[in-house]
Amino acid sequence: MAWNNQTVASTQSAVDAGLRAYMNRVYALMSLGIAFTAVVTYVVATSPMLMPVAAGPLKWVFFAGVLGMGFIAPNIIMTKSRTAAGVAFWVYCALWGLMMAPMIAYFLQSTQGAMDIARAFFITSIMFASASMYGYVTKRDLSAMGRFLFMAGIGLLVALIVNIFIGSSMLSLGISALVVLFSAGVTAYETQMIRNMYYQLPSGGAVSRFAILGAFMLYGSFVTMFIHVLNMLAILRGSE
């Protein structure tokens, strides 16, 4: 009996260590994706040659590209080669950088704006870490949130598109507040999903593939949260 207990404990310890390594891999890749996006955004936002291109009609192409990759990249990651999976992830990160460049360029025009970027990143990091930690440690099954989050996401996307034509700052503030809360919920939901996937994975290549998928999912939630925290800070500062 003692031998069996030791075997079970040893097996559980190995599983826990593997899970930690897997999640660390997810977070590390996500962090690299954010850093890559930051570089792309800064280079484009500060380039007199590239900025007019990013701020012109091509901005809609980048927007469509982000939406499109959001749908097709998971399929590429899970069904194509690991090289293709990696390329899909980095292309997604680059498209976000290109799409955000005009917004970041606006904030970089002033010291206060640059401080807003730093504040938004700090706030986003704290909120994201808290939501992800909750999703990782909670015993509550969050899978039921999936359908609600999907419908809420569609509603918020429609509201964002409508406000592009309305141009209401107060509506933008309200939408951004809801998107931030939505992104926190998505982060918790996705983290639990990513954690649970580990227990169903074979060893080897599939682990790498799912780590890329997990990084892809969490990356999108972080960047979305950051953009709307930054938007909220800008609107609130403008109303002072």
Side-chain angles (χ1 to χ4, degrees):
M1 180 65 69
W3 181 82
N4 287 338
N5 289 340
Q6 290 177 354
T7 301
V8 171
S10 177
T11 301
Q12 185 60 47
S13 178
V15 170
D16 290 343
L19 176 60
R20 286 193 298 272
Y22 163 73
M23 293 302 297
N24 286 338
R25 192 171 186 175
V26 170
Y27 289 124
L29 184 56
M30 184 204 80
S31 299
L32 288 173
I34 292 170
F36 177 62
T37 297
V39 171
V40 172
T41 301
Y42 182 78
V43 169
V44 175
T46 57
S47 170
M49 294 181 60
L50 297 177
M51 189 59 239
V53 177
L58 277 179
K59 65 184 178 182
W60 299 110
V61 176
F62 300 145
F63 177 72
V66 167
L67 291 180
M69 287 299 292
F71 284 103
I72 68 174
N75 182 62
I76 294 173
I77 292 170
M78 296 309 300
T79 62
K80 305 300 181 181
S81 67
R82 275 184 285 177
T83 299
V87 169
F89 175 73
W90 295 114
V91 167
Y92 186 61
C93 295
L95 285 170
W96 267 111
L98 292 169
M99 190 176 76
M100 287 195 300
M103 180 183 188
I104 297 302
Y106 169 78
F107 281 90
L108 290 177
Q109 291 176 3
S110 67
T111 302
Q112 185 62 51
M115 291 176 63
D116 282 343
I117 294 174
R119 291 192 189 99
F121 186 81
F122 177 76
I123 293 170
T124 301
S125 298
I126 296 299
M127 292 188 65
F128 177 88
S130 300
S132 190
M133 179 61 69
Y134 173 77
Y136 183 78
V137 303
T138 185
K139 302 299 182 182
R140 180 183 176 185
D141 183 6
L142 302 180
S143 59
M145 293 174 58
R147 180 173 297 180
F148 168 78
L149 290 171
F150 178 76
M151 297 304 297
I154 292 176
L156 288 170
L157 179 60
V158 171
L160 283 166
I161 294 174
V162 169
N163 198 46
I164 289 174
F165 300 98
I166 296 177
S168 169
S169 59
M170 288 300 99
L171 179 57
S172 179
L173 178 63
I175 292 173
S176 285
L178 291 175
V179 172
V180 169
L181 294 175
F182 166 79
S183 298
V186 170
T187 297
Y189 169 78
E190 290 177 340
T191 300
Q192 186 177 85
M193 180 191 300
I194 294 164
R195 183 199 68 188
N196 291 342
M197 285 191 303
Y198 174 79
Y199 296 108
Q200 304 171 13
L201 297 180
S203 60
V207 174
S208 298
R209 197 179 295 277
F210 272 83
I212 296 173
L213 179 62
F216 174 87
M217 294 163 63
L218 293 179
Y219 166 91
S221 297
F222 184 97
V223 175
T224 300
M225 188 184 295
F226 167 76
I227 289 174
H228 289 278
V229 169
L230 183 57
N231 185 53
M232 290 173 64
L233 291 177
I235 293 174
L236 291 173
R237 179 161 57 85
S239 64
E240 293 178 352

